Amino acid sequence: MDRLLVTGGRRLEGAVRINGAKNSALKLMAAALLAEGHTLIENVPRIMDCSTMGEVLEHLGAGVGWDGTTLMIDTTGRLGIETPYELVRKMRASIVVLGPLLARFGRARVAMPGGCNIGSRKIDLHLKGFERMGARFTYEHGYLEAIAPVLQGAMISLDFPSVGATENILMAAVGARGRTIIENAAREPEIQDLANVLVEMGAKIEGAGTTTIEIEGTDAFEPVRHRVIPDRIAAGTFAIAACMTGGEVLLEDARPDHLELVMDKLQEAGATVEVEDGGIRVGLAGRPLAVDFVTLPYPGFPTDLQPQMMALLSVARGTSIATENVFESRFMFVDELKRMGADIRTEGHHAVIRGAEWLSSAPVRALDIRAGAAMIIAALGADGTTEISDIHHVDRGYQDLDSRLAALGAELRREPAVPIPA
Ligand code: EPZ
């Protein structure tokens, strides 16, 4: 397990091209299972999670080939229906193959995902939706077996606008008999990207991007060629990193319409934000100002930028309050930030962040993808060299983060972990 050594105090400056969205690419890869033939997905980030989803598809019998960031998925051979625990435990998003497998084969066998560092992350809403469509489940030896000889369109009202449940149900519904209506659907841009690709493949979908999605089932899907939308969370992470260092970066290809609230909050913190042809320029001179923010499903402030924003606000002038409404355990990284001198008190889903004048380097851990990004941001603004261990979590979600930060002027290097003496 590598660790990352980041020396703080370097101003980030220049341009960075924003890669394709992880949380869209993973679902588009699963959607390829619906059609027989060769699907081409462009702008897929070269990150561990996409490789894991590639392994899931290969395990199911699909051919998977990369050419740079273009991914070719060949589903012409005989496909299986099982996703094993080794892959689901590496990446929970593997369960998103349930919907397309049910739609195409009426059966799926998927290992149940286990624990997670950011919350209990149940899949009850996915399963309730499939049940409404006529699927039946059995659980044995850690596996969930789903059978739906006839998948029937249904009225499904989600208790919470879950991203994964909306996507999984959507991918089942496009292949079901008749009409499905998903109420209280998630509205994330990644869901719109998925709906767009499904429509290109032959599905009939209306309302994606709103709280009500209507789907008319069909069984004729064609493989397509599609380009993944830019990663709004990667864009937000680079923007916050630039602000942490008093720098200025151009986020090439970032979509301003996907980042409205994030950019508003950065402006409240004192940043300048300019939308230019082909990107967004973000910079901040001096210390940030304190800002309160609340995470919510899109178009609210994304939970996937909460840790990074907390890292920035830990050096703000004044006291900020962050409220996390999406995942119950997404403040676990706060103890790591405190090791660097951050003054943060959490109570339930609120965090009170008293801005410190500076952070000091310390050995810290990356607890998950975004918590790891937050530690890097804190380290960029801290004095001295911070050692971040378990950096593999960051590699799951960020493409070439070290080299792209280095190209912007950051001082950082990777080293193999030092073995702990017996
Ligand atoms: C997606 O996870 C993203 N992952 C997450 O990104 C992101 O944080 C999250 O959406 C919220 O935006 C991918 O797209 C691969 P949810 P997902 O279902 O789909 C509860 C990252 O760092 N819930 O919207 O799993 C759940 O426990 C990652 O890139 C149920 O109770 O999120 C959570 O509290 C991490 N029952 C809330 O809903 C269910 O059946 C939101 O979860 C489903 C969810």
Side-chain angles (χ1 to χ4, degrees), residues 304-360:
D304 288 347
L305 286 173
Q306 177 261 102
Q308 301 89 316
M309 194 69 179
M310 294 253 292
L312 175 69
L313 295 175
S314 66
V315 293
R317 273 177 212 283
T319 299
S320 312
I321 298 177
T323 304
E324 171 60 54
N325 286 318
V326 180
F327 288 112
E328 75 269 19
S329 308
R330 219 172 192 172
F331 284 146
M332 280 180 13
F333 72 98
V334 162
D335 286 338
E336 298 297 308
L337 261 188
K338 281 180 167 174
R339 303 194 68 249
M340 299 179 69
D343 180 353
I344 304 176
R345 193 167 51 84
T346 57
E347 203 170 302
H349 62 140
H350 301 290
V352 179
I353 311 145
R354 282 181 221 283
E357 242 170 83
W358 43 271
L359 296 179
S360 67

Side-chain angles (χ1 to χ4, degrees), residues 22-23 26-27 93 118 120-126 160-165 167 188 232 303-304 326-328 330 368-370:
K22 163 178 92 80
N23 289 346
L26 293 172
K27 322 308 165 55
I118 60 175
S120 68
R121 302 189 71 181
K122 300 186 290 277
I123 57 164
D124 55 320
L125 302 178
H126 304 229
F160 182 88
S162 151
V163 173
E167 293 166 334
E188 271 67 5
R232 64 196 165 97
T303 175
D304 288 347
V326 180
F327 288 112
E328 75 269 19
R330 219 172 192 172
D368 69 79
I369 305 174
R370 312 304 173 186

Side-chain angles (χ1 to χ4, degrees), residues 190-204:
E190 293 75 24
I191 287 167
Q192 297 178 46
D193 204 25
L194 173 63
N196 287 343
V197 88
L198 292 170
V199 167
E200 288 159 28
M201 291 170 80
K204 299 184 188 88

